[in-house]
Amino acid sequence: FVILTEMVHEARIVPLDGRPHLPSGFSQWLGDSRGYWEGDTLVVHTRNFRGETNFNPKGTRVQEGSAAQMHLVERFTRLDAETLLYEFTVNDPTTWTRSWTAAVPMRPAAGPIFEYACHEGNYGMLGMLNGARAEQESPQ
């Protein structure tokens, strides 16, 4: 199973064949993931993160995020044809006093999805989109 992240085009490979996690001395940027099925839910356990990976839900200073000892448990459940429930639990006693969980229902995007890429137009995207909307609204 592969989880492809659009930003920075990172691919997490998640074996589903029951193999054990890598030894704790083998850390990786995206951690070491292993998955299995619980009924209709795909459960993924990830550990062996590099300290530099730093999961930081507040989006603040790096020192306030997770440590390399973090254990992430993700759950992917198809609720219906249009909804995937993504739940995750973060356990890192070196950073937080207790584990915590969040859930996000995911639905297909209604419109086009723009690629996350660095190119010369990134800084002008807002202006380009505003200009296109103004052209659409002006009488021909």
Side-chain angles (χ1 to χ4, degrees), residues 29-94:
W29 284 108
L30 301 177
D32 176 44
S33 298
R34 298 293 185 261
Y36 58 91
W37 289 95
E38 279 184 0
D40 293 336
T41 299
L42 175 61
V43 181
V44 177
H45 287 261
T46 306
R47 54 184 64 151
N48 295 349
F49 289 94
R50 291 183 56 99
E52 298 90 347
T53 302
N54 195 279
F55 177 72
N56 184 345
K58 295 187 221 171
T60 56
R61 295 191 325 263
V62 170
Q63 294 83 356
E64 294 180 10
S66 67
Q69 295 77 21
M70 180 176 75
H71 177 199
L72 176 66
V73 179
E74 299 165 287
R75 303 175 66 80
F76 301 85
T77 307
R78 174 73 65 190
L79 298 180
D80 56 44
E82 297 292 318
T83 311
L84 177 69
L85 180 62
Y86 173 65
E87 299 174 272
F88 64 94
T89 300
V90 177
N91 182 8
D92 182 356
T94 62

Side-chain angles (χ1 to χ4, degrees), residues 6 111-117 119 125 129 133:
E6 173 63 21
I113 298 174
F114 296 99
E115 176 188 12
Y116 178 87
H119 56 80
M125 184 62 75
L129 291 173
R133 297 302 167 262

